[in-house]
Amino acid sequence: MKLADIIKKLPEIRIRKGDSNLEVSYIQSDTRKLSVNDIFVLPEGQNEHYANFINSALTSGIKNILIGPGHIKIPGIEKFDTILETDSYLGDVHGKLAHLLAGSPS
């Protein structure tokens, strides 16, 4: 699904950096499960591990990240080609986006 379509359906997400024509496959918070076209979302409440998560995602070739308020200042975020941002609780947005990318199964 294109980012432009995602943003139309989930207006709580905005593009901070990147191309709205990007095709996205899925969203993951576990760096071990990421594929190249996925969006990585920083796990909530894991602040002390953010540098490790970011390095792991970048090492895996991941280029897309979803961040919450204040995360833009975390070192390494700027290395992602696409940065999506939300002011909402990341866990909620992660769930909504996963549901959307899975074809709204429920």
Side-chain angles (χ1 to χ4, degrees):
M1 177 178 283
K2 289 189 185 253
L3 276 181
D5 296 327
I6 290 169
I7 290 169
K8 286 178 190 173
K9 295 178 182 191
L10 298 174
E12 60 263 49
I13 298 174
R14 64 188 170 280
I15 299 175
R16 178 87 182 216
K17 174 184 167 187
D19 181 4
S20 63
N21 288 317
L22 177 74
E23 281 287 333
V24 174
S25 300
Y26 202 61
I27 183 167
Q28 300 278 356
S29 60
D30 185 339
T31 57
R32 298 168 297 179
K33 296 180 180 178
L34 286 165
S35 296
V36 175
N37 291 332
D38 288 349
I39 296 171
F40 173 58
V41 60
L42 285 173
E44 285 285 355
Q46 302 281 329
N47 302 22
E48 67 276 3
H49 301 290
Y50 282 165
N52 291 336
F53 290 136
I54 289 167
N55 287 334
S56 181
L58 289 168
T59 300
S60 299
I62 302 307
K63 300 177 189 310
N64 316 309
I65 190 167
L66 172 63
I67 60 173
H71 290 161
I72 196 69
K73 296 176 183 176
I74 297 171
I77 294 289
E78 74 284 351
K79 294 179 183 175
F80 289 91
D81 292 346
T82 303
I83 301 173
L84 304 174
E85 189 173 36
T86 184
D87 291 329
S88 300
Y89 176 67
L90 274 176
D92 291 343
V93 176
H94 181 175
K96 288 179 185 179
L97 185 49
H99 180 76
L100 180 65
L101 291 171
S104 303
S106 59

